[in-house]
Every structure is written in structure tokens, then in C-alpha cells.
């Protein structure tokens, strides 16, 4: 068939043919648009840095990814098929840079027909620094208070140093890390406890190791006052007897608070030596104290007390009335005897 005949055949009734072609194209476009859908994913944003540089400021934790494609194919895509990251590997020195947000698809999503992907934001500005490692001291941290009478003598930790990694300026400014608090509440003896080391922010990292914290306790020194102590008279002459003696004796002892709290003076704790008294009357007699070696007598104690002595009487000479006599000191410093009488049996 000659070319002219072919041309004539094609142009025959060309108007209806052209209208049919346009309608077919229009229907195809409508079909394609109706079969295309859009899904939005929230994807975690990571960092890739293998060149010794790290970010020194927070970056967005997630980005928004819009995927456009055929509905049946979009239905097969999951968030786990998408990976978003910032590539820091081309950085050569410290500074601030605008990093593009890069996207990759998993193998299962890659075999689908090409998807139209859009990420928001498209770029992220970060300041980066050289990553360094250094060793810093570990400080043991305690909480609470030991039992009454006990104090903390020393606290040690093993190991006492830890390696930290992070941006150069942050590592240089980090001189030490604390342990998590070890409680000493109501403790009465030495003990060792396992704990962890604190995390110093987001950018400084270290191994999640356990450390041993040893707490050494000691008994604390203090003082305690004892009042209304009885006086025992010693070395009294055979011809004399005690008619009146005060029990208003006060002393303060220093020593371990734990020991002081359990100490109770006995009847021989306070004594008065009457060996120099040879006649009846009222005399100030010096006092002695039987203080245990673990304690010390503080200043301000009662040094002497007034004691009234009388001539010892025989049974036949005893009056039918018994007298209870105490010696008191008046505001003027004079001694007076307070007498209480009751019938003898």
C-alpha cells in the first residue's frame, strides 16, 4: 500500500477518531488518579557519624514522611520500611552545618513501583565537634542518715574512675560523675552496696557498669547530763552519823553517744569522803565520781555538797519521833535544815 493511501486511510473520518483518542486519554488519567493514594509516616531520625565528629545539640527525634503511590502498594509499606538519618561523615572540622534528611527503603519496600516520597523538614542545622574519650573520677553518693549516735567516717567506690565519650568541650568540662544514691538510713555497721553511675546528659556516654560503694561508720561523740544523783558517804567516823545529805547532784559526761545513751550511774557513782569530819555539824564535803574510762567528766559538775553530821545515838537514846532532815541552801547562801517528823514504830 502506497504512503498516500495509508495517509488517506488514517485521515478518513479523522474527527471522530481524534475525539475517541482524547476521550481514552482522559479516562486513563482519571483512572490513574483514582488509584493513587497518599500515606503519612512518623519516622525516627538517626545520626550516622563514623569520622570522629558528633552533634553537640539536640536534633528532631522524628521527621514526617509523605509517601504517594498506588493504594494497594502503599498498604504494604510500614514505618519500619523507612529509615531517616543525617550523615555527618563528610564533616572535617568543628562548626555548624545544614544536613539534608536522607531516606532509605527496606528491601521489601524497594521492589514496589517507584513511590513519591517527601520528608519534612528537608534539612536540619546542627553544631558538631570532635568526639573524644577521657577518664573521670566517680564520686560515691549517699542518702539518708545513720542510726542515732553513728556518723559516716569514710565512703569509697571501686572502681573509682570511668571512661566517658562525647563532644570535646563537654568531656573537658566534665570532671567527675556521681553514683546513684546509696542509702545509709538507720545503719549501725559498715557495709558495701552495688549501684550504677549517673548518666550525664544525652551527649556524654559511658559503659553501664556496676560499682561497689563501701560505707564506713563510726560512733559519734557527744555529751549527756545526769541529774538528781544520790551521794554515798564513805569513811564516816564511828561516833558520827549522817543526819542530812542532798541528792541534788548534776554531772555531764562526754563520750560515745551510743554508750552514753545506755549508761546508768549506780549507787557508787557519786561518793563523799567524810574521813576528815570529826565532830557534829554541817560541812561542805568534796565529791568524787567513778567515771568509766570510756567517758570524760565535763566542766560544770557539782563539786561538793553540804552534809549534816550528828553524834551517833544508842537505841535507848532514840526519840520516839523520827526526823527526816535535808539540807538546803537559801538565796543568801546560808544553809538551812528542813525537818519532817513522823512517829516511830
Amino acid at each position: 500500500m502506497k504512503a498516500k493511501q495509508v495517509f488517506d486511510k488514517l485521515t478518513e473520518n479523522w474527527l471522530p477518531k481524534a475525539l475517541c483518542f482524547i476521550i481514552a486519554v482522559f479516562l486513563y488519567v482519571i483512572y490513574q488518579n483514582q488509584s493513587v493514594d497518599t500515606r503519612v509516616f512518623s519516622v525516627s531520625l538517626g545520626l550516622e557519624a563514623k569520622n570522629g565528629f558528633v552533634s553537640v545539640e539536640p536534633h528532631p527525634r522524628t521527621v514526617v514522611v509523605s509517601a504517594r503511590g498506588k493504594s494497594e502498594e502503599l498498604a504494604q509499606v510500614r514505618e519500619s520500611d523507612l529509615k531517616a538519618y543525617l550523615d555527618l561523615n563528610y564533616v572535617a572540622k568543628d562548626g555548624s552545618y545544614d544536613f539534608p534528611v536522607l531516606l532509605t527503603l527496606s528491601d521489601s519496600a524497594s521492589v514496589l513501583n517507584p513511590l513519591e516520597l517527601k520528608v519534612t523538614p528537608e534539612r536540619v542545622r546542627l553544631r558538631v565537634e570532635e568526639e573524644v574519650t577521657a577518664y573521670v573520677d566517680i564520686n560515691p553518693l549517699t542518702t539518708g542518715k545513720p542510726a542515732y549516735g553513728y556518723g559516716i567516717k569514710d565512703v569509697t567506690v571501686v572502681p573509682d574512675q570511668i571512661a566517658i565519650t562525647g563532644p570535646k568541650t563537654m568531656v573537658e568540662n566534665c570532671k567527675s560523675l556521681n553514683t546513684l544514691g546509696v542509702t545509709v538510713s538507720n545503719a549501725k555497721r559498715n557495709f558495701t552496696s552495688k549501684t550504677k553511675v549517673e548518666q550525664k546528659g544525652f551527649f556524654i556516654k559511658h559503659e553501664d557498669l556496676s560499682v561497689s560503694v563501701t560505707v564506713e561508720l563510726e560512733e559519734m561523740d557527744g555529751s549527756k547530763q545526769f541529774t538528781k544523783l544520790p551521794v554515798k558517804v564513805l569513811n564516816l567516823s564511828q561516833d558520827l552519823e549522817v543526819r542530812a545529805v542532798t541528792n541534788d547532784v548534776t554531772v555531764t559526761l562526754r563520750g560515745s553517744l551510743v554508750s552514753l545513751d545506755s549508761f546508768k550511774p549506780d549507787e557508787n557513782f557519786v561518793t563523799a569522803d567524810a574521813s576528815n569530819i570529826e565532830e557534829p555539824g554541817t560541812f561542805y564535803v568534796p565529791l568524787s565520781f567513778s567515771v568509766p574510762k570510756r567517758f570524760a567528766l565535763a566542766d560544770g559538775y557539782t563539786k561538793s555538797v553540804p552534809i549534816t553530821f550528828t553524834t551517833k545515838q544508842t537505841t535507848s537514846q532514840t526519840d520516839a519521833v523520827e526526823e527526816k532532815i535535808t539540807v538546803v541552801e537559801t538565796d543568801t547562801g546560808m544553809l538551812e535544815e528542813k525537818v519532817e517528823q513522823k512517829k516511830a514504830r
Side-chain angles (χ1 to χ4, degrees):
M1 185 179 292
K2 295 182 180 180
K4 185 176 184 306
Q5 293 175 331
V6 172
F7 178 78
D8 291 341
K9 193 68 175 178
L10 292 174
T11 57
E12 183 181 356
N13 299 321
W14 67 271
L15 184 58
K17 291 179 180 179
L19 290 174
C20 290
F21 177 77
I22 292 173
I23 292 172
V25 171
F26 179 73
L27 292 175
Y28 176 79
V29 171
I30 292 177
Y31 173 77
Q32 289 295 325
N33 287 335
Q34 288 179 342
S35 63
V36 172
D37 199 0
T38 300
R39 287 186 64 188
V40 177
F41 302 90
S42 179
V43 181
S44 297
L45 180 62
L47 296 179
E48 288 194 3
K50 300 178 180 178
N51 60 342
F53 286 84
V54 291
S55 171
V56 296
E57 58 189 10
H59 64 275
R61 298 293 92 188
T62 60
V63 293
V64 176
V65 177
S66 299
R68 190 169 182 271
K70 292 184 177 180
S71 300
E72 60 272 17
E73 294 185 347
L74 282 179
Q76 304 178 46
V77 180
R78 297 177 175 83
E79 287 186 3
S80 58
D81 293 322
L82 300 170
K83 177 185 177 182
Y85 65 96
L86 304 176
D87 188 358
L88 277 59
N89 289 314
Y90 71 86
V91 174
K93 63 179 181 178
D94 298 353
S96 295
Y97 302 89
D98 288 323
F99 296 95
V101 178
L102 304 178
L103 291 174
T104 59
L105 290 173
S106 66
D107 293 340
S108 59
S110 298
V111 300
L112 302 176
N113 284 336
L115 300 175
E116 181 183 339
L117 300 176
K118 182 179 179 181
V119 60
T120 304
E122 295 181 350
R123 307 181 73 85
V124 175
R125 187 169 185 81
L126 290 179
R127 185 165 61 90
V128 298
E129 283 187 6
E130 179 185 0
E131 185 178 47
V132 297
T133 299
Y135 280 87
V136 297
D137 294 333
I138 300 175
N139 296 326
L141 187 66
T142 61
T143 61
K145 293 182 179 181
Y148 172 79
Y150 291 89
I152 297 176
K153 181 179 181 181
D154 193 20
V155 183
T156 56
V157 59
V158 177
D160 59 359
Q161 286 192 327
I162 190 171
I164 61 173
T165 301
K168 183 177 180 180
T169 55
M170 293 186 180
V171 171
E172 290 177 346
N173 291 329
C174 182
K175 304 304 181 183
S176 63
L177 293 177
N178 294 327
T179 66
L180 301 183
V182 174
T183 181
V184 296
S185 297
N186 299 318
K188 295 181 179 180
R189 57 180 60 88
N190 302 340
F191 68 92
T192 299
S193 178
K194 290 283 190 179
T195 188
K196 297 287 187 177
V197 180
E198 69 171 337
Q199 294 291 339
K200 192 74 169 182
F202 178 78
F203 298 100
I204 293 181
K205 304 182 184 301
H206 60 74
E207 183 182 357
D208 186 27
L209 55 81
S210 293
V211 296
S212 298
V213 176
T214 299
V215 180
E216 185 178 353
L217 302 177
E218 63 180 350
E219 292 186 4
M220 300 296 292
D221 287 337
S223 61
K224 182 177 181 180
Q225 188 179 72
F226 299 85
T227 60
K228 304 296 182 181
L229 297 175
V231 178
K232 185 174 183 179
V233 180
L234 303 178
N235 303 318
L236 182 62
S237 172
Q238 296 182 354
D239 299 329
L240 298 175
E241 62 182 5
V242 176
R243 185 182 184 191
V245 60
T246 182
N247 288 331
D248 190 14
V249 175
T250 299
V251 297
T252 299
L253 298 181
R254 294 196 304 266
S256 164
L257 287 174
V258 176
S259 299
L260 285 172
D261 195 51
S262 60
F263 176 69
K264 293 182 179 179
D266 58 23
E267 61 179 6
N268 296 314
F269 182 73
V270 183
T271 58
D273 185 3
S275 58
N276 293 327
I277 308 300
E278 299 178 350
E279 59 184 23
T282 300
F283 305 91
Y284 271 94
V285 181
L287 300 178
S288 297
F289 302 92
S290 299
V291 179
K293 292 183 179 180
R294 63 183 184 275
F295 302 134
L297 190 62
D299 292 338
Y301 59 91
T302 305
K303 295 180 173 58
S304 62
V305 294
I307 302 177
T308 299
F309 301 92
T310 60
T311 302
K312 183 180 292 186
Q313 298 178 352
T314 62
T315 304
S316 60
Q317 296 172 324
T318 303
D319 195 271
V321 177
E322 293 182 353
E323 296 179 342
K324 181 180 179 182
I325 305 174
T326 56
V327 179
V328 296
E329 187 173 356
T330 65
D331 295 338
T332 60
M334 300 296 290
L335 297 178
E336 291 184 355
E337 294 181 356
K338 183 178 180 181
V339 181
E340 295 180 7
Q341 296 184 342
K342 67 177 180 179
K343 291 184 179 180
R345 294 181 180 178

